[in-house]
Amino acid sequence: MEDRIASICLEKYAMLKKTGKPTENEWTVLSGVVLQNIYEDLSVVALCTGTKCLSGKELNSPNIIDRGDRLSDSHAEVLARRAFLRFLYDQIELLLKSGDSDVFYMEDKKIRLKDISFHFFSSQTPCGDCSIIPKLQLRTDRKRPKLDNEPIQESDFGAIITDIYRTGAKCLVNDERQDSQQKGADYHITGPIRTKPGRGDRTQSLSCSDKIARWNVLGAQGALLSLMIPSIRFESITIGGGCPYSSESMNRGIYMRFDPKIQGPVIKQSKISFDCKKSHSRTRPCPTSIVWCAVLEKEVEIAVNGFRQGMTKKKIKSRRLAISRKEIFKTFLKVSHLYSELRNESLSNHPKKIYYHDCKQYALSYQNTWRDYLTTFRNWPLKNRDLYECLSF
């Protein structure tokens, strides 16, 4: 199954135009979401590349006048999830307008999920806790020298941890648990929430390991969509071949470090690798991101530095990325209006100005579930409300 998922994502990537793809000496990460129907057919519904993330200084820059116009986190895993949200909104709109959707159906004026599943793919292990992987070295533990032509038995070997693969993601400043940065296998501590790697001023975006862990308990659909649809969790996570991988590290990073009783996805590594991954010949991170999803309009966008490629200050409102917070909120308001009309719900009491932060708080079940997990997801930081609570239409 993992090879089928990796293969279909790489095939879709190969079909995309060259625009936004890395040059010969650049590398990138590829992530996607795959739909599996009742007949076990697979289809890619979201596919993105990306390696970049805004620093805290960039994110809080006074030059960003309209909050929600710019992506703060452009790692492939995060973009793929945002593209997946756009796909879900598109499917809901199709259902409400025509009654036809590959994902949803209506029953008692409520949106239900069809008998399908979703699978997540990433060409490399997510940054953060999942990437803290032991380096094992095999050594002989024989009590006597091996004779000439004597076969080596499996029992002759023992695996020892000589070092660990490291992550650039940093522990939160306010967490008493910090990396020792000692040589060898003790360089990192496992468990804490981390912020993404970044040069210079540290980022405020949490690592992909932490974000995927949150999707696992709350659903990838997020707070806004939970007002209309059931929770959607990824049934499996596939990591591309040719990169450091440990099932123990992946399981720990996604759910075991928070609570062993949390149900996690099936996690496996494919034998198939991504040609544009980091290597001795690909040493520079690609500055652009490709954002693709299976929607009717503008299925492909190219992002640079959190904006759509070619964007200027004069065109910021007309050239926002469709997966930007502001455009997704705009789509939510449009689709939720259609849903309310279908359910014959009165719109007369709705305020003239609707705020992003308020709408997220209306998702009581989602918010209550997250509050229950906050003690488990220790030290999870609250978002800077100045960055998004003023976002409104």
Side-chain angles (χ1 to χ4, degrees):
M1 181 65 169
E2 59 272 17
D3 288 343
R4 288 179 63 201
I5 290 172
S7 178
I8 193 174
C9 287
L10 296 181
E11 288 172 4
K12 184 62 187 179
Y13 175 79
M15 293 171 62
L16 299 176
K17 295 180 179 179
K18 290 185 178 180
T19 308
K21 291 184 177 181
T23 60
E24 290 183 358
N25 64 344
E26 292 177 340
W27 62 273
T28 193
V29 178
L30 178 70
S31 293
V33 178
V34 174
L35 182 155
Q36 182 180 18
N37 65 19
I38 193 172
Y39 306 107
E40 299 190 356
D41 297 324
L42 301 179
S43 59
V44 183
V45 298
L47 194 73
C48 299
T49 63
T51 64
K52 298 293 185 178
C53 185
L54 297 185
S55 67
K57 185 176 181 180
E58 289 176 301
L59 187 61
N60 292 285
S61 171
N63 294 327
I64 305 178
I65 299 174
D66 291 329
R67 301 301 182 184
D69 288 321
R70 191 180 191 188
L71 297 174
S72 58
D73 188 341
S74 293
H75 277 214
E77 297 94 327
V78 175
L79 295 183
R81 184 255 178 176
R82 296 187 74 84
F84 179 52
L85 296 184
R86 189 178 173 216
F87 165 76
L88 293 176
Y89 278 116
D90 194 67
Q91 288 293 310
I92 296 171
E93 189 170 0
L94 282 172
L95 176 70
L96 297 176
K97 287 184 175 180
S98 66
D100 184 28
S101 168
D102 295 329
V103 178
F104 304 109
Y105 68 96
M106 293 293 295
E107 183 180 71
D108 299 328
K109 293 187 177 180
K110 290 186 178 180
I111 300 174
R112 312 287 190 183
L113 192 65
K114 288 185 175 181
D115 189 10
I116 58 174
S117 59
F118 292 101
H119 306 266
F120 193 80
F121 168 79
S122 186
S123 61
Q124 72 174 38
T125 51
C127 65
D129 206 273
C130 291
S131 290
I132 303 175
I133 301 170
K135 291 183 178 180
L136 301 178
Q137 179 177 320
L138 297 179
R139 63 181 175 85
T140 59
D141 289 326
R142 298 178 64 92
K143 294 181 179 179
R144 62 175 177 79
K146 185 176 79 69
L147 302 177
D148 291 342
N149 300 320
E150 182 182 0
I152 298 175
Q153 304 295 325
E154 186 176 347
S155 58
D156 291 337
F157 289 86
I160 58 171
I161 300 175
T162 59
D163 202 345
I164 54 172
Y165 289 98
R166 298 172 186 180
T167 177
K170 301 177 178 64
C171 299
L172 298 178
V173 175
N174 64 340
D175 197 325
E176 70 275 11
R177 300 168 295 172
Q178 296 291 323
D179 294 323
S180 68
Q181 298 188 3
Q182 296 178 8
K183 291 182 179 180
D186 295 327
Y187 184 89
H188 281 308
I189 185 173
T190 58
I193 303 295
R194 295 173 179 269
T195 53
K196 276 189 166 64
R199 295 183 178 180
D201 185 46
R202 68 185 295 163
T203 72
Q204 294 180 6
S205 297
L206 297 187
S207 76
C208 290
S209 295
D210 298 316
K211 290 189 175 183
I212 295 173
R214 191 173 192 257
W215 305 341
N216 183 57
V217 297
L218 294 176
Q221 81 291 327
L224 294 181
L225 269 174
S226 71
L227 290 165
M228 293 184 282
I229 66 173
S231 178
I232 296 177
R233 291 175 174 82
F234 296 125
E235 186 169 300
S236 74
I237 296 176
T238 295
I239 303 300
C243 69
Y245 173 85
S246 161
S247 58
E248 181 181 352
S249 296
M250 283 294 301
N251 288 324
R252 181 195 66 226
I254 301 304
Y255 65 97
M256 289 293 290
R257 61 185 165 132
F258 302 111
D259 185 349
K261 295 188 294 294
I262 295 175
Q263 184 176 356
V266 175
I267 305 175
K268 292 187 177 181
Q269 185 178 31
S270 169
K271 299 182 185 69
I272 303 171
S273 62
F274 181 44
D275 289 341
C276 297
K277 66 179 183 294
K278 191 174 183 179
S279 65
H280 68 278
S281 60
R282 293 182 179 272
T283 57
R284 295 172 52 195
C286 181
T288 55
S289 295
I290 298 173
V291 181
W292 177 90
C293 55
V295 295
L296 296 177
E297 296 181 5
K298 296 179 181 178
E299 64 176 13
V300 179
E301 294 182 303
I302 308 300
V304 181
N305 203 26
F307 292 114
R308 184 188 290 186
Q309 190 177 49
M311 189 280 302
T312 63
K313 288 184 178 180
K314 291 182 179 179
K315 296 180 179 180
I316 189 169
K317 292 185 178 181
S318 61
R319 290 186 59 83
R320 293 189 201 101
L321 287 164
I323 62 167
S324 67
R325 185 177 288 120
K326 206 155 197 175
E327 286 302 309
I328 284 183
F329 184 42
K330 189 176 178 180
T331 302
F332 162 75
L333 294 177
K334 177 181 68 172
V335 174
S336 62
H337 181 86
L338 291 172
Y339 191 35
S340 296
E341 285 186 329
L342 182 71
R343 291 158 60 92
N344 297 320
E345 294 177 350
S346 173
L347 301 175
S348 59
N349 295 326
H350 286 207
K352 291 184 179 179
K353 203 163 190 178
I354 303 177
Y355 290 88
Y356 174 81
H357 174 72
D358 292 340
C359 287
K360 292 189 73 172
Q361 299 312 306
Y362 294 151
L364 296 179
S365 177
Y366 181 95
Q367 299 297 349
N368 289 337
T369 300
W370 181 232
R371 289 189 190 97
D372 292 341
Y373 275 109
L374 277 177
T375 54
T376 304
F377 283 68
R378 183 177 166 190
N379 293 320
W380 190 279
L382 297 175
K383 286 186 178 179
N384 183 350
R385 290 180 58 167
D386 292 339
L387 295 178
Y388 67 89
E389 71 172 352
C390 59
L391 201 164
S392 63
F393 283 99

